[in-house]
Amino acid sequence: MTDQELKEIPPKLAEDPSSDLGFGRVVSEQRQLRLLNRDGSFNVQKRGRGLRTFLAYSNLVSTTWSRFFIFVAAVYLTLNGCFAVLYDACGPGGLVNTLNTGINTPFLKAFFFSIHTSATIGYGSTVPVGLATNILVALESVVSLLGLAVVTGLVFARFSRPVADILFSQNAVMSWIGNHRAFEFRIINARNNQIIDLHVRLLVSRFEPNASGTLIRRYYPLSLERESVVFFPLSWTIVHIIDKDSPLYGVTQDQLCAAGAEFLILLTGMDETFSQVVNARSSYRANEIIWDAKFTDIFVYDPEGRMAGIDLKRFHDTARISTPP
């Protein structure tokens, strides 16, 4: 699609379409960069703070479980290794074996003694001798006690932190409602907790030529058929009707792809279990939209015709529909 064809996209009405929503000019100018990943994360990396950034409380609480456990294991082994070096520096008489443990290497003997001390196991096969060694034992006891308290607090915070697990449909669709096109996507709560007073905001970003002909990214809010629901026990198909007031009115599939369009979604609701606000984010790019399609029915009915549940295996399924005359 050429720049001239992009200029043929009809002008739309929107409040402050040049607003960058907080992405900034540099990020907004990146045509190939996705503003929001499908999992809601941003494509912006903060560098320069190194380990300090990773050790921040907010990062330790929100990072993945695999990274968290790797971090805890690395810190645990490093601390015990450091104390093992200090024990070994106290000399061969600092740690005395009362039993034959089968470990003759001084460092390994000190390392496993450090583990026994930090975990308060106390097998009694290795005994600290001398003032310096016993001071190290006392110091390690305090460090291990504080470390256990910190790790316990982080694990509890990770388990107790309310997180919305909203499942978005794999694709959005351009369907039809009467004689109007409609942009639609489907969401469902993937957990058993209840989310109430759920609100949704939908925006579209695309590149458009300015007065000088330079392509810049603009953002348009999209009005929805329903912007909120009080209760969210089932799935919710969110619909934007493309009428004459819509920023998408008259825009074709090729124009949407050529303009680098991306639909940005923000969900905000109240977690009933924790009585705290939770949110979820996602986006759809133009090539992730299926045109002239609709979502298939996911409701399951009992023999008497009553709705008995939802079949999540059909949640992402779509079906082709004919274009109205």
Side-chain angles (χ1 to χ4, degrees):
M1 186 69 66
T2 64
D3 291 351
Q4 180 62 34
E5 290 173 310
L6 281 175
K7 294 179 181 179
E8 295 175 357
I9 297 178
K12 305 302 169 190
L13 299 176
E15 294 182 3
D16 193 14
S18 299
S19 174
D20 63 11
L21 304 181
F23 290 104
R25 179 183 59 84
V26 176
V27 174
S28 296
E29 289 178 351
Q30 304 299 312
R31 188 175 179 84
Q32 303 301 323
L33 180 66
R34 185 172 193 146
L35 298 177
L36 265 180
N37 294 319
R38 289 304 307 273
D39 61 359
S41 60
F42 298 102
N43 280 315
V44 177
Q45 298 180 359
K46 297 179 180 179
R47 300 179 180 179
R49 298 187 66 186
L51 187 61
R52 181 180 178 183
T53 301
F54 184 82
L55 292 178
Y57 173 79
S58 58
N59 185 72
L60 292 176
V61 171
S62 60
T63 190
T64 62
W65 279 106
S66 58
R67 290 182 179 180
F68 177 75
F69 283 125
I70 291 175
F71 167 74
V72 172
V75 172
Y76 182 76
L77 294 176
T78 301
L79 284 177
N80 283 286
C82 292
F83 276 102
V85 172
L86 295 176
Y87 286 130
D88 192 33
C90 293
L95 295 176
V96 177
N97 287 345
T98 59
L99 298 174
N100 183 13
T101 60
I103 300 176
N104 298 320
T105 305
F107 176 79
L108 289 180
K109 181 173 68 173
F111 179 78
F112 288 112
F113 172 77
S114 175
I115 292 179
H116 297 168
T117 302
S118 62
T120 65
I121 297 175
Y123 288 124
S125 58
T126 304
V127 179
V129 177
L131 179 61
T133 309
N134 280 279
I135 289 176
L136 285 177
V137 170
L139 178 62
E140 184 175 9
S141 299
V142 174
V143 172
S144 61
L145 182 63
L146 294 176
L148 178 61
V150 170
V151 173
T152 302
L154 288 173
V155 171
F156 176 78
R158 291 177 63 88
F159 272 109
S160 61
R161 183 171 66 100
V163 178
D165 189 7
I166 302 295
L167 181 63
F168 292 81
S169 56
Q170 185 175 354
N171 296 98
V173 299
M174 281 291 185
S175 187
W176 289 92
I177 297 180
N179 293 325
H180 293 288
R181 279 199 179 276
F183 173 81
E184 302 178 2
F185 62 95
R186 188 155 62 181
I187 62 173
I188 195 171
N189 186 9
R191 295 185 176 179
N192 291 326
N193 66 322
Q194 298 300 320
I195 297 178
I196 59 176
D197 198 20
L198 183 63
H199 295 258
V200 59
R201 292 183 61 187
L202 177 63
L203 305 99
V204 61
S205 73
R206 67 188 184 195
F207 284 90
E208 296 178 357
N210 59 11
S212 62
T214 303
L215 292 178
I216 61 174
R217 189 189 292 270
R218 295 185 180 272
Y219 301 85
Y220 296 94
L222 301 181
S223 60
L224 301 176
E225 182 185 45
R226 182 188 298 271
E227 296 184 350
S228 64
V229 291
V230 178
F231 306 107
F232 186 45
L234 304 174
S235 66
W236 181 15
T237 300
I238 298 171
V239 180
H240 165 67
I241 298 177
I242 305 177
D243 54 18
K244 291 184 179 180
D245 295 326
S246 169
L248 303 177
Y249 185 74
V251 179
T252 65
Q253 181 178 6
D254 291 338
Q255 288 176 329
L256 207 60
C257 293
E262 182 176 351
F263 293 81
L264 310 174
I265 306 158
L266 173 62
L267 296 170
T268 304
M270 178 69 69
D271 188 301
E272 191 177 43
T273 303
F274 297 95
S275 296
Q276 294 187 23
V277 176
V278 293
N279 62 76
R281 300 179 299 267
S282 190
S283 73
Y284 294 98
R285 303 200 74 175
N287 59 355
E288 296 170 342
I289 302 173
I290 303 176
W291 288 67
D292 295 327
K294 67 176 182 179
F295 290 108
T296 58
D297 188 7
I298 61 173
F299 296 108
V300 178
Y301 301 90
D302 62 16
E304 298 181 359
R306 296 173 299 188
M307 197 275 288
I310 295 176
D311 185 3
L312 289 178
K313 294 181 180 179
R314 304 201 301 260
F315 178 75
H316 301 287
D317 294 348
T318 59
R320 289 288 180 179
I321 58 176
S322 59
T323 304

